[in-house]
Amino acid sequence: MSAQESDERFVALLLANQNRIFRFLMTLVPGRSDAEDLLQQTCVTLWQSREKFDPAAGDFVSWACAIAHNHVRNFRRREATRHAAHAQLSEDVLESLMATRSAHGALMDEWHRALAHCLARLTPQQRALVEESYGGSSLKAAAPGAGRTPNALYKVLRHVRSVLHDCIQKTVHGGGVA
Amino acid sequence: MNASDTEELRSLAEAYVAGELAPGQKAALEERLRGSEEVRLCFLAFLEVHAGLAWEYRGAEAELPQITAEVAPSMWVVRGGVAASRWQGVSLRWALPLAAAVVLLLGMARMWLPDGSPKPAMVKASLHGQWTDGREVTVGARLSPGVWDLQSGLVEIGTDSGTTLMVQAPARFELVDALHARLMSGNVVVRMPEGKSGFVIELPRMRVTDLGTEFGVSAAPDGESRVQVFDGKVRAESLTVPGRRELAVGESVVCKVDGVLSSEKSREDRFIRQFPPRSPGDQPGGALYSHSAVDVIHIVPPVEPVVIDADLSEWNRTDAFRSACLPPYSDTYFVEGMMMYDAQHLYLAAHVGDPEPMRNSASDIMDFAGGSVIVRVSTDRKLGWPLKGTMANARSKSPKQQPLPDSLSERVVSLILSHDARTGEPRIKLQYGFDHRAGESQPSGWRGAFRKDADGRGYTLEYAIPWRLLHCENDPPRPGDEMAALWMVHWSDADGRLCRGQLVEVTNPEARSKPGVTPATFFADGSTWGRAIYLPGK
């Protein structure tokens, strides 16, 4: 295989799996902007380390997530010296969460697939709030336009996440996504 | 976990996601997470909702490409220099890889896209369309220039030049602008409005220029490029050797590794030109599903020694059955199945249409989902046909509903046949009875072989299974026996892990005509299986 073909294959792998890496990062670092920064750092490292990736030694996602985890460790060290250490889970708890995640990778993908199916079942108002919160401005900025307080909007968002969670569980564990 | 536990955990997860976990809450959450796998899975499920939404809406105002760069180093130029400005001051040593990484990340970093960046196409229709990263294709979404990977389904895209592209998954293509695209793999039908022309589509070995027409193009995994004209004219040019042809209606050329344009016979069914008609009673199984039509499979003795090499030249295919998924997938996802027998073995062979062949990397417990053929047979003539056994009956604990012999028989066997992409070896798993107990993986004594199709869009399998593994070595089937059998084929995603669709064949016509029958019904209810008739030698 030529270097170009090898690079092409690597990029295809990276692109096909970047959502898995991002979701893995968000398990460890729930703040979205932190996870986005870490994904960026991870992708750069993956690219720089691409020659070390050996498909025979294991699957791409495991290798990429191991590198992502290294970035998370550095991030947590930095954060611990600054602030909000109380909001971080302990290392041993994160390790056990990662082990569970790793053992159920296919299930996580099923959940993710079911999300699109469940989003389509939200009311237009609920969908608009999700879009606003995750794709647009902050709840604080969105509140005046919605005629509600940020706190009220946050409660609605919590409810919507709960509805989505229930729908995903029913969809996946009740027979799969058609 | 009861409902109250779940609700409390959900509340803690919300605080975690918001970064507002108080010290007491943190201790409570950690105690729970340390204590149980079930709690950890439940917590991860909450986080998946949050992470999934963040991913889905990373570009809420427009659907963004998953791949926005060609891989070739010469293409590592960020369009419009938008990203480059963010990296001013970065040492030149890192300039290329960083640029590449930045380009790759454009898919999630919408702030790097300039306002009003051109998005020259829109999704007009989708039938079960899904991109490779798992997102559903959204009708109405604008598509930016860049490379797009369609994993499954059929998608119609309209460009701003009025051109319609009908893309059949799996396909990888780059949208360059409203009049220019590249197809790296897969099938696309291009249609221009009447009176317009000039759309150019590049294939790995050929450039095709529309001269006012409708035509189909395909790119095989090895680069073989093909164009077929349905209406009007096109110009086809080889990219590697001098050669140009003008093609009219009904003409087709293929460009292979030598770069030479060669005429070939057109085939109307090679491309999907329009969406299939929809009806309220559409299939429940997703994009890929079949309507079974075969009642009986004839099992015949071989006329010459069977060599297990996935070359079926010694098989007489007159006793084979052919079955396919419903249109428009009937030419892509299909199976030709056949069975033979002698005093020592049951022989199974199949040719399966599969654009992601032999990629099974699924875990043992889900091995069927990564791409497989499952054959279920009864070898106990006393049970006859139809079988009465069911999974529910086999697992019944009720004294009023004792399991029937059919449900528990060790001579009712599931043969799960797959190609393990990690080892490159054929695989077999056997399960007995309707409770699937005592499943055996890779027992000794069987032989199997797989062979990928030359065009990479299917595979052939061939197995010899000793009667001993089917628990009837002392009383194997005889000519004239009629017993139950069922075939199932599963197709996977490109990773060989998740099931994308299935086909069920050789079924009981009376049972399959009942309303509400699903693939799971066939698997769990022996009365739905078809008949296997063992014929004498000719």
Side-chain angles (χ1 to χ4, degrees):
Chain A
M1 189 185 297
S2 69
Q4 183 176 326
E5 285 169 335
S6 176
D7 284 351
E8 177 168 3
R9 200 166 167 179
F10 184 86
V11 171
L13 270 174
L14 178 54
L15 291 166
N17 290 296
Q18 60 178 338
N19 80 341
R20 294 185 177 94
I21 303 167
F22 179 70
R23 283 157 41 218
F24 168 82
L25 283 165
M26 287 206 72
T27 305
L28 306 181
V29 181
R32 179 178 171 180
S33 59
D34 293 334
E36 287 178 354
D37 286 347
L38 287 164
L39 176 61
Q40 175 176 301
Q41 293 163 21
T42 301
C43 284
V44 172
T45 305
L46 289 172
W47 177 252
Q48 291 165 354
S49 314
R50 65 192 183 283
E51 286 171 3
K52 295 179 190 162
F53 173 61
D54 177 7
D59 73 285
F60 180 81
V61 174
S62 303
W63 178 70
C65 287
I67 287 176
H69 190 200
N70 287 337
H71 282 287
V72 171
R73 285 196 186 97
N74 293 335
F75 169 82
R76 283 166 57 85
R77 271 197 288 275
R78 286 196 304 273
E79 287 296 293
T81 58
R82 295 209 308 240
H83 57 87
H86 64 81
Q88 293 186 5
L89 294 176
S90 305
E91 193 63 32
D92 71 301
V93 173
L94 282 188
E95 293 287 345
S96 58
L97 279 173
M98 279 191 300
T100 302
R101 207 174 193 290
S102 171
H104 299 277
L107 182 61
M108 306 289 148
D109 284 343
E110 282 295 318
W111 287 345
H112 183 62
R113 265 186 359 108
L115 177 62
H117 163 84
C118 293
L119 274 170
R121 279 159 174 69
L122 293 179
T123 65
Q125 292 80 5
Q126 288 173 330
R127 242 191 337 266
L129 175 63
V130 169
E131 282 187 27
E132 192 71 38
S133 310
Y134 283 92
S137 53
S138 67
L139 286 179
K140 196 173 173 182
R148 300 194 191 204
T149 65
N151 196 37
L153 273 190
Y154 175 65
K155 282 183 181 165
V156 178
L157 184 62
R158 276 184 64 155
H159 172 68
V160 172
R161 281 199 286 247
S162 157
V163 167
L164 288 170
H165 172 258
D166 289 343
C167 171
I168 288 169
Q169 295 305 305
K170 278 181 194 152
T171 303
V172 172
H173 302 290
V177 182
Chain B
M1 284 175 67
N2 59 34
S4 158
D5 291 339
T6 305
E7 200 43 54
E8 202 173 327
L9 188 62
R10 183 143 51 192
S11 187
L12 291 168
E14 285 287 350
Y16 176 64
V17 161
E20 294 170 353
L21 211 51
Q25 288 180 304
K26 179 185 170 187
L29 178 59
E30 292 194 330
E31 186 184 345
R32 282 160 180 260
L33 292 174
R34 286 191 184 102
S36 145
E37 177 88 345
E38 185 190 4
V39 171
R40 285 194 290 277
L41 262 179
C42 187
F43 181 69
L44 286 170
F46 292 133
L47 295 192
E48 273 291 319
V49 173
H50 174 53
L53 290 174
W55 180 259
E56 290 293 324
Y57 289 100
R58 66 201 184 281
E61 77 283 13
E63 191 154 354
L64 298 170
Q66 293 110 62
I67 305 175
T68 50
E70 273 287 354
V71 179
S74 62
M75 296 290 287
W76 284 352
V77 178
V78 181
R79 293 185 183 93
V82 181
S85 65
R86 292 180 60 86
W87 293 99
Q88 281 171 2
V90 174
S91 88
L92 193 58
R93 189 161 66 95
W94 298 116
L96 279 184
L98 282 180
V102 167
V103 172
L104 298 177
L105 287 165
L106 281 175
M108 67 163 294
R110 65 185 181 284
M111 63 279 197
W112 291 338
L113 283 173
D115 289 335
S117 59
K119 298 183 178 67
M122 186 176 79
V123 176
K124 291 165 68 179
S126 167
L127 178 62
H128 304 296
Q130 189 172 41
W131 303 113
T132 304
D133 70 356
R135 285 183 298 157
E136 301 291 330
V137 174
T138 310
V139 175
R142 299 290 304 184
L143 303 186
S144 304
V147 178
W148 295 81
D149 258 334
L150 186 67
Q151 177 162 290
S152 59
L154 183 65
V155 173
E156 185 177 297
I157 295 166
T159 78
D160 291 346
S161 64
T163 310
T164 297
L165 308 174
M166 185 75 87
V167 185
Q168 182 190 354
R172 186 164 189 244
F173 63 98
E174 182 183 4
L175 193 61
V176 179
D177 57 41
L179 275 170
H180 189 188
R182 295 191 182 98
L183 178 66
M184 288 78 138
S185 63
N187 286 7
V188 173
V189 169
V190 181
R191 191 181 308 122
M192 290 217 74
E194 206 165 323
K196 288 198 174 181
S197 62
F199 191 87
V200 178
I201 187 159
E202 282 179 22
L203 309 174
R205 304 195 196 288
M206 180 163 55
R207 180 183 297 110
V208 179
T209 305
D210 161 77
L211 303 175
T213 189
E214 179 188 356
F215 61 95
V217 287
S218 70
D222 64 357
E224 183 176 287
S225 307
R226 171 177 282 105
V227 57
Q228 177 171 326
V229 183
F230 298 112
D231 192 16
K233 284 183 179 176
V234 302
R235 183 168 61 238
E237 300 165 76
S238 170
L239 294 179
T240 51
V241 300
R244 172 187 283 201
R245 296 267 299 272
E246 203 163 281
L247 307 176
V249 179
E251 291 188 295
S252 177
V253 296
V254 61
C255 190
K256 297 190 176 175
V257 66
D258 59 6
V260 176
L261 299 175
S262 312
S263 293
E264 66 168 12
K265 193 175 174 189
S266 282
R267 265 181 40 204
E268 178 64 30
D269 62 356
R270 186 173 276 142
F271 297 94
I272 297 174
R273 297 169 63 189
Q274 58 188 10
F275 281 84
R278 307 297 302 273
S279 69
D282 271 356
Q283 69 273 16
L288 305 176
Y289 192 54
S290 64
H291 283 172
S292 172
V294 176
D295 311 343
V296 177
I297 183 164
H298 290 126
I299 307 182
V300 297
V303 293
E304 55 184 289
V306 181
V307 181
I308 302 299
D309 56 1
D311 173 346
L312 306 187
S313 53
E314 71 272 38
W315 288 71
N316 179 350
R317 298 199 183 195
T318 53
D319 293 301
F321 71 86
R322 190 182 191 283
S323 184
C325 288
L326 294 173
Y329 302 103
S330 48
D331 294 316
T332 315
Y333 298 92
F334 59 84
V335 62
E336 187 185 10
M338 55 208 96
M339 301 171 80
M340 296 198 292
Y341 75 113
D342 60 22
Q344 286 79 40
H345 294 97
L346 175 67
Y347 300 99
L348 300 167
H351 176 226
V352 180
D354 185 347
E356 308 285 359
M358 294 164 57
R359 296 196 182 203
N360 196 316
S361 300
S363 60
D364 278 352
I365 197 164
M366 293 288 285
D367 52 0
F368 73 90
S372 63
V373 171
I374 300 180
V375 181
R376 304 200 73 186
V377 288
S378 161
T379 61
D380 187 344
R381 68 179 65 81
K382 286 194 213 102
L383 299 179
W385 183 90
L387 278 182
K388 298 180 190 66
T390 67
M391 191 183 290
N393 178 250
R395 294 176 175 174
S396 170
K397 305 282 184 213
S398 164
K400 291 181 186 166
Q401 206 173 37
Q402 295 289 325
L404 299 165
D406 299 40
S407 298
L408 300 179
S409 172
E410 293 213 326
R411 290 174 64 168
V412 174
V413 190
S414 272
L415 303 157
I416 303 167
L417 316 174
S418 61
H419 179 271
D420 189 333
R422 293 159 298 195
T423 62
E425 297 292 330
R427 189 160 57 168
I428 188 169
K429 186 159 78 180
L430 297 98
Q431 294 177 326
Y432 302 102
F434 280 90
D435 51 346
H436 300 145
R437 67 193 176 285
E440 270 195 272
S441 278
Q442 306 294 81
S444 61
W446 62 280
R447 286 169 288 142
F450 279 75
R451 189 186 293 248
K452 197 179 287 188
D453 287 4
D455 65 1
R457 294 177 69 81
Y459 64 90
T460 299
L461 65 80
E462 188 175 24
Y463 278 72
I465 300 149
W467 291 119
R468 172 178 57 79
L469 293 176
L470 308 182
H471 297 145
C472 63
E473 67 271 33
N474 297 322
D475 181 25
R478 301 191 293 255
D481 280 344
E482 285 192 24
M483 292 181 276
L486 180 77
W487 278 63
M488 299 183 86
V489 181
H490 290 89
W491 287 274
S492 79
D493 63 345
D495 292 338
R497 293 187 175 185
L498 298 176
C499 182
R500 288 283 177 237
Q502 62 203 308
L503 173 153
V504 181
E505 199 47 283
V506 189
T507 60
N508 181 343
E510 195 176 313
R512 72 180 177 238
S513 62
K514 290 178 184 168
V517 173
T518 69
T521 312
F522 289 105
F523 197 73
D525 184 347
S527 71
T528 64
W529 298 11
R531 280 186 300 155
I533 300 180
Y534 292 80
L535 298 180
K538 291 173 183 167

